[in-house]
Amino acid sequence: MPPAAFAVVDADDALPAIAAAKSVAPASIEITPSAATGVLATGAVLLVVAHIVAVGFGPGSDIDSATGLGRVLHLNGERNAPALFSTALLLLAALCFALWARAAIAGPGGRRMWRLLAVLFVFLAVDEYFSVHERLSAPLRALFDLHGTVLHYAWIVPYALGVAVLAALFLPIYLRLPRRLQVRLGLAAALYLGGVFGMQGVGALMLGTDGEDSTGYAIASTVEEALELAGLVLLIDTQLRHLATLPHGARLQLAPEPRR
């Protein structure tokens, strides 16, 4: 065996190597707001197209019975691919609101509002996936005799009241935001709420007059879900773009476990 080799290195010569090792950048993944929005928008469009294809086959058709496309791809379904995607969008929006709170956008009052919105969007994500709101409709519809009316989906009433209260609380913060941010947030809210309340009411009327299997109801429900997805994607795009304008941007960092 060859003799073991030892090398004596001068401490001054080792310092540059040590410094270089310490200066190595941490592993990171960077993504621009436009790239993130592009991915989310593409996913939303694909789901809407898939829903249209599934609805076109019709519930109970041979293809639907063989593949289960109606259940898996229907935008109004529970615990399926579109519901999971919408839930992910709501959770991402909640995370962005939490980052806005961390950055104290619009001052201390804004921080409290963004925290509240983050919590509310987490609730909406749970509601979206498990359809909690749908379970309110039957008792409220029976209580107020709303069968066949624009309020057939009676959960709209308490949720609309909640939105009105939230809007009143949010207005002072909203008016302090930059004009561009006001426009984009307002448009995102209009799209989302237009789907949730507006097209939901249209769908209720179609349901009362033509039935659940009618073309009119299918179109109304598709437009409703498409508006909701568009509103969420625009909201997240607005959140990410504003975070990117902050002096240090936004960063999620994995910290090492504390030593015990």
Side-chain angles (χ1 to χ4, degrees), residues 93-122 124 162-177 181 185 235 239:
L95 174 60
C96 289
F97 275 133
L99 291 174
W100 277 26
R102 183 75 174 176
I105 295 172
R111 174 174 290 180
R112 289 189 293 270
M113 179 54 64
W114 307 135
R115 284 174 178 169
L116 174 60
L117 287 173
V119 172
L120 288 176
F121 268 73
V122 170
L124 290 176
V163 169
V165 171
L166 181 63
L169 295 174
F170 180 58
L171 184 60
I173 307 299
Y174 178 80
L175 295 177
R176 295 209 303 265
L177 296 173
L181 206 53
L185 288 176
L235 171 62
Q239 293 171 314

Side-chain angles (χ1 to χ4, degrees), residues 133 136-137 140 144 146 151 153-165 197:
H133 59 282
L136 297 175
S137 287
L140 290 175
F144 297 104
L146 299 174
L151 296 177
Y153 299 107
W155 62 265
I156 289 178
V157 176
Y159 276 61
L161 291 175
V163 169
V165 171
F197 297 130

Side-chain angles (χ1 to χ4, degrees), residues 23-45:
S23 66
V24 174
S28 63
I29 298 175
E30 293 186 358
I31 185 169
T32 63
S34 58
T37 302
V39 171
L40 298 178
T42 300
V45 170

Side-chain angles (χ1 to χ4, degrees), residues 69-135:
L69 284 176
R71 182 183 64 81
V72 174
L73 299 176
H74 203 290
L75 288 173
N76 271 334
E78 297 182 19
R79 305 184 191 182
N80 59 3
L84 185 60
F85 184 75
S86 296
T87 299
L89 290 181
L90 289 164
L91 289 175
L92 181 54
L95 174 60
C96 289
F97 275 133
L99 291 174
W100 277 26
R102 183 75 174 176
I105 295 172
R111 174 174 290 180
R112 289 189 293 270
M113 179 54 64
W114 307 135
R115 284 174 178 169
L116 174 60
L117 287 173
V119 172
L120 288 176
F121 268 73
V122 170
F123 166 76
L124 290 176
V126 175
D127 188 355
E128 176 68 27
Y129 191 71
F130 293 102
S131 296
V132 176
H133 59 282
E134 297 288 353
R135 289 159 176 75

Side-chain angles (χ1 to χ4, degrees), residues 24-71:
V24 174
S28 63
I29 298 175
E30 293 186 358
I31 185 169
T32 63
S34 58
T37 302
V39 171
L40 298 178
T42 300
V45 170
L46 290 176
L47 283 176
V48 171
V49 172
H51 164 81
I52 293 172
V53 171
V55 170
F57 289 144
S61 65
D62 292 339
I63 295 179
D64 179 59
S65 299
T67 63
L69 284 176
R71 182 183 64 81

